[in-house]
Amino acid sequence: MATVLANLHPEGTVYGEVGDSSVPLRFSEPADEYRVLRERAAVLDLGGNRLIEITGPAAVDFAQRLLARDVEYLTSERCMMSLVLDESGQVVDQVLAFGRENGILLESSCGAGTRLLEHLEEHNDEGVVITDRSADLTVLALEGPYAWGVVGRLIDGELASLPFESVVETEWNGTEIIFARTGFTGEYGYQMIVPIESAAELWCQALEHAGAAGQEALELAMLEVRQPIPRHEATAGASVIEIGANWLVDVTKDEFVGREAVLAAFESGQGRRTVGFTGGDAIPEAGARVLAGGQDIGEVVHAVRSAGLGATLGLARVDAELAAAGLEFTVDGVEVTTLTSPYIVPKSWSIPII
């Protein structure tokens, strides 16, 4: 399924199939898009993220049971990120949950909407109404150290300084939109959930103030600040702890799907852990063996070329006692060094919103 803005993307845009969606991987040179995101402001077509609305008298109870974080008191002025797990504790998806007056709105990760929707419907014991809103709503985002300035020129300067994970319903050119202060990359980040019929105009106006960036630049920037990317990291059989996404789970909740499996993983202390690494120019494949002193201690989960580091950057899942920064391993005959996150310090951390 292509994004609704595909007809506005420039000639030469490179697309890729991510789950159930065809998304723009890059509009131009990846290094140029990365620099726009890290140094100025980038506009992102997040049409590959499915929007699913949950309504009905039991909507909050249902969401509370299906999401691994506590959303019982999520108001319409807030959003939060959470995992959705199956009974065995495996990741179904990583979602952004928006509180709504009549329920909850979930935004899937890229290309995972079909799987998420099927999981929700399968577990709908409360009889809630589950509606795929992707036919009438889509998501645009702004990321970058000067994204706040674009917000001011596009919509309202006061919205730029909203607290993180705050949400407001506002108007843009007479169209009602949901505006949120979010962020995936460590830079200033904002999302706009807009009616499909207005998305093209907003996209074009945003491009007057920001450069377009595709999925490749976004995921590289996410990796650099250790923001989980489920499609790369949630490998079969890996627990939430092994993935390193336990911050997206509230184990103190009385009940959620997958809770018992997560608790068992916490209590056992067993399994491997994920650590970042860098070194060399070659990009190892997922599954490449990681060696320490000639001994097999794990495998590569995901690796790319980091424009910010000027070297390979990746994640490895290794024996727990070796998941520490500053260690030297070997991957495909190349020496790599483990890192502490974030691997790149975002420029936004030193730039105030004015």
Side-chain angles (χ1 to χ4, degrees):
M1 181 178 68
T3 70
V4 298
L5 297 172
N7 65 319
L8 295 176
H9 297 161
E11 185 178 352
T13 296
V14 176
Y15 295 90
E17 299 301 317
V18 177
D20 59 21
S21 299
S22 176
V23 300
L25 299 179
R26 55 187 179 273
F27 301 102
S28 56
E29 289 297 321
D32 293 340
E33 295 183 12
Y34 172 84
R35 282 192 292 270
V36 164
L37 194 157
R38 281 285 183 224
E39 298 177 7
R40 292 184 289 158
V43 59
L44 306 162
D45 175 4
L46 297 186
N49 298 15
R50 189 83 64 91
L51 294 165
I52 300 171
E53 192 170 42
I54 303 167
T55 55
V60 174
D61 292 338
F62 173 76
Q64 180 74 345
R65 185 170 62 85
L66 269 291
L67 272 63
R69 292 188 70 192
D70 194 338
V71 294
E72 184 174 5
Y73 301 107
L74 187 64
T75 68
S76 58
E77 291 83 31
R78 301 291 297 172
C79 65
M80 68 187 312
M81 193 171 287
S82 174
L83 291 181
V84 176
L85 307 174
D86 65 16
E87 286 78 2
S88 67
Q90 298 289 289
V91 175
V92 174
D93 196 17
Q94 178 178 309
V95 301
L96 194 58
F98 294 81
R100 309 297 294 151
E101 292 292 344
N102 58 344
I104 299 279
L105 180 67
L106 299 182
E107 178 185 329
S108 77
S109 65
C110 184
T114 299
R115 181 173 67 249
L116 175 63
L117 185 60
E118 291 173 350
H119 178 78
L120 296 176
E121 291 174 339
E122 180 183 346
H123 290 80
N124 187 8
D125 300 335
E126 289 84 353
V128 300
V129 179
I130 301 172
T131 307
D132 183 354
R133 297 297 305 277
S134 302
D136 55 288
L137 297 174
T138 193
V139 187
L140 279 71
L142 294 165
E143 296 264 348
Y146 296 102
W148 52 269
V150 180
V151 171
R153 290 187 289 273
L154 270 181
I155 307 174
D156 185 340
E158 292 186 4
L159 296 179
S161 57
L162 284 174
F164 183 63
E165 294 189 335
S166 291
V167 181
V168 297
E169 294 186 25
T170 188
E171 283 194 2
W172 167 80
N173 281 9
T175 299
E176 293 185 359
I177 66 172
I178 299 172
F179 182 90
R181 170 85 180 272
T182 55
F184 296 108
T185 66
E187 306 293 354
Y188 292 121
Y190 308 89
Q191 282 199 14
M192 298 158 287
I193 300 177
V194 301
I196 282 179
E197 59 269 21
S198 301
E201 185 180 1
L202 180 56
W203 172 260
C204 291
Q205 286 196 16
L207 285 175
E208 295 176 7
H209 310 285
Q215 193 70 22
E216 288 182 347
L218 173 62
E219 290 188 353
L220 169 57
M222 290 171 67
L223 173 61
E224 290 175 338
V225 295
R226 196 58 187 95
Q227 174 73 27
I229 307 172
R231 74 186 188 98
H232 295 306
E233 301 181 45
T235 54
S239 71
V240 168
I241 300 171
E242 289 177 307
I243 294 169
N246 36 302
W247 61 279
L248 292 171
V249 174
D250 289 336
V251 293
T252 57
K253 278 180 64 174
D254 292 335
E255 177 190 9
F256 61 86
V257 175
R259 181 177 185 271
E260 296 306 316
V262 171
L263 284 178
F266 269 103
E267 292 168 358
S268 74
Q270 298 178 353
R272 290 176 162 170
R273 301 293 183 268
T274 302
V275 65
F277 70 86
T278 186
D281 295 320
I283 301 174
E285 296 287 339
R289 308 315 302 172
V290 179
L291 306 180
Q295 299 296 311
D296 189 320
I297 60 162
E299 64 182 17
V300 172
V301 177
H302 175 53
V304 295
R305 176 74 178 180
S306 167
L309 292 176
T312 295
L313 174 64
L315 299 174
R317 198 155 293 148
V318 301
D319 294 342
E321 63 272 18
L322 294 174
L327 301 180
E328 293 188 353
F329 299 148
T330 302
V331 177
D332 289 342
V334 176
E335 284 193 1
V336 301
T337 304
T338 57
L339 303 169
T340 185
S341 62
Y343 315 129
I344 292 288
V345 176
K347 191 172 182 178
S348 296
W349 292 9
S350 59
I351 294 179
I353 296 174
I354 58 176

